[in-house]
Amino acid sequence: GSGMEEDADLQFLLSGGDLLKIRSNSWKKHRFYKLNEDCKTMWYKSHKTLRPSNPTFSVDDIAAVRLGRQTEGLRKNTDDKVEGQAFSIMFKSRRKNLDLIASSEEEAKQWVAGLEKIISHMSKLNPQQKTGHWIFNSMCKADKNCDNKMSLKELKSFLQDINIEIDDEYAQELFEKCDHSQGGYLEGEEIEHFYKILTEREEIDVIYTTYAKTNGFMSAENLLEFLQKEQREPASLSDALILIDKYELDGSAKEKKLMTKDGFLMYLHQMEGLIFNPAHKGVHQDMTQPLSHYFISSSHNTYLLEDQLKGPSSTEAYVRALMKSCRCVELDCWDGSDGEPVIYHGYTLTSKILFKDAVQAIKDYAFKTSEYPVILSLECHCSVDQQKVMAQHMIAILGSALVTKPLGDQMPKDFPSPEELKGRFLIKGKRLNKLEDCFTPDASAIEDDDVTEEEESGGEESQEERKEEKPKDKKLKLAKELSDIVIYCKSVHFHGFEDAAARSFYEMSSFKESTAMNLAQDSANKYIQHNVEKLSRVYPAGTRTDSSNYNPVPLWNGGCQMVALNFQTPGLEMDLNQGCFLSNGKSGYILKPAYLMDKDTEFDPVTLTRGGWLKPKTFHVMVISAQQLPKLSKKSTSIVDPLVKVQVFGVPDDVAAKETDYIENNGFSPMWNANFQFHVCVPELALVRFLVEDYDSMTDNDFIGQYTLPFTSLQNGYRHVPLLDKNGDILPCAGLFVHIMVLDD
């Protein structure tokens, strides 16, 4: 019993109902939706076509449910009269939102309340309970004639479902072992016995048995010995008692302050047993330093959902980036009809969205995952009139959260801190005059020599990258209203480090990827010194029409704060970004190490001379096993041949990778016990990535899952590693089990 059976909202979902599904102005169709008995999947059917396969989606895949006409689709394709009846289901994957209209406001509320309840219930289940669910579901699916008994044939189909291929002899053997009544099928306890054999974790049994010195159980003292010796944690007896109280499943053992093997396994799957240090989960860094002392999670072409030649533009793309705690978003603004500026990728076939809708979406979602400031990076191609409209929209929509003058009552010498700017918006763009003029009431707008070219699509790109550009008047006219709200992030051209050193702190440059990479390679020390007091933004080359990304690590090593990536393009680069910003409360701000904040620093990540940044470590990792790796293809016969790669990213000297052999035909519980050793000289700039792939002898291996974290957030000892899919969402049941030891050289 999940403890929810009695719930009225749940009963409502289980009986289901008719909803109108909206895809466009002309495509609006009735569908019947209901929650399946397993309380884990939603089922739907159309009224006309009775499809043989009943389509479903998993509750686990739902990212959020929103009441009202919150999505672009609903706002565009429905009347505001149905505001109260409308709701949307958003998915974690790239699956399109589901826009729905209920027959009454009451019913819409019931759908949303029920779905939210079941989602929150699912997210509270721990992995153990989920596994229970998961095995049980697969078994029900495999029990073809639903008689609660399983024949050998059904058993095999079940094994295939959970990703284990078993040879016939072994299947027969296992079956006979469990079939005590010798009736040719398993039922009740026999199925449980069978499940027990399946879920055995011998690698954990070995550890448990070593420390279970109290009548075959672990006492708090035994657990403490394990925490201190194996996990290398500065734990006390009370910590051990807390863990027993939290994770022991067996009531009578808990009363005696003992931990059973099941309780121990449970602890190893929870936050305290994971590889990521729980002390880094919340905001744990000093947030009172100037803005330029932080790496800031940044997005490029934020408005795109796919690629930059013909993909859709969408306010949803802003929501997704902000929910991943991106703190610097980009708005490409062009003149639209009816005097309303629009956002799209100029001169291409990408669709357009209204500037004001994007600003509204940013306002609504900016501070849901992080309360620290959001920077709106404007690339403005608009006429002076529509620039005024842009300024009016930002002032009206963002209100008092918009920074429209420097903090304090005199001209600042340096940036404010993320702490001082909590909940605020900063505009990055061109400015006509000096910031000092904010404090002299009659200062007229002096035309600045630098307000001449557009930023990214302007003269700094090669002919190759500009062929789709139309010629344009070099002198950019700037509306005073827009210029006046650019406070701490005034865009200027970079004319070398000497010129930049003479400029004010609030004047910042954007670098295209190739320029920045060259500086980070050949003048890293100068770049780092420049980035102590000035902000730098880096953006992908214009030739990346597929919206692919570049490796952000060399640029972080060079002290660049805003390394802008295409958040809409999954892959290694976004994995590294998510890994870098995983700690510090996923706030989107990471404090740079001390040697990247010192004006006279001698640090150079490329030449790597001696200095305080060298803290050499030996990093031992044993890749022990994996659990429940998902099958990649939906073909029922497909199996997984998994292998694990351990990769280190950081200063060039630290970059390395090792990989295990592949294991044939076992995604359910592969065991490697592979030992690797790495040397890491500059730990504060290193990231570790665990990548699981499906081996393929003919082509490239297929991606199964990965997890990236800062080297300094690793926990020692026996640890589970969660796995994320290619979009960066958690794979609910899958994981790796490893042993980590970081030693000072």
Side-chain angles (χ1 to χ4, degrees), residues 328-341:
C328 174
V329 295
E330 186 185 20
L331 299 94
D332 265 4
C333 312
W334 299 79
D335 278 357
S337 48
D338 310 323
E340 279 295 345

Side-chain angles (χ1 to χ4, degrees), residues 14 36 42 61 87 109 170 191 233 306 311 341 350 367 380 400 415 449 474 603 684 698 702:
L14 286 166
N36 274 335
M42 293 289 294
D61 290 338
F87 69 99
K109 281 206 187 82
Y170 185 55
I191 297 181
E233 289 178 26
E306 285 160 31
T350 60
F367 305 115
C380 185
S400 61
F415 289 101
D449 63 330
K474 270 297 193 212
F603 175 64
E684 290 163 307
M698 306 307 281
D702 289 316

Side-chain angles (χ1 to χ4, degrees), residues 630-646:
K631 285 203 259 196
L632 295 175
S633 95
K634 289 290 167 253
K635 289 202 302 286
S636 61
T637 52
S638 78
I639 36 94
V640 180
D641 302 330
L643 65 107
V644 180
K645 295 182 177 173
V646 184

Side-chain angles (χ1 to χ4, degrees), residues 127-141:
Q128 280 312 93
Q129 280 168 305
K130 276 196 182 164
T131 306
H133 262 9
W134 176 86
I135 293 277
F136 179 68
N137 281 343
S138 295
M139 282 195 173
C140 293
K141 250 194 350 220

Side-chain angles (χ1 to χ4, degrees), residues 496-515:
F497 291 121
E498 238 168 277
D499 170 76
R503 289 183 172 276
S504 302
F505 76 90
Y506 58 86
E507 296 184 290
M508 65 170 292
S509 299
S510 279
F511 301 84
K512 71 163 185 255
E513 164 195 336
S514 52
T515 310

Side-chain angles (χ1 to χ4, degrees), residues 641 662 694-702:
D641 302 330
Y662 70 94
D694 184 6
Y695 173 75
D696 192 322
S697 55
M698 306 307 281
T699 60
D700 286 347
N701 295 343
D702 289 316

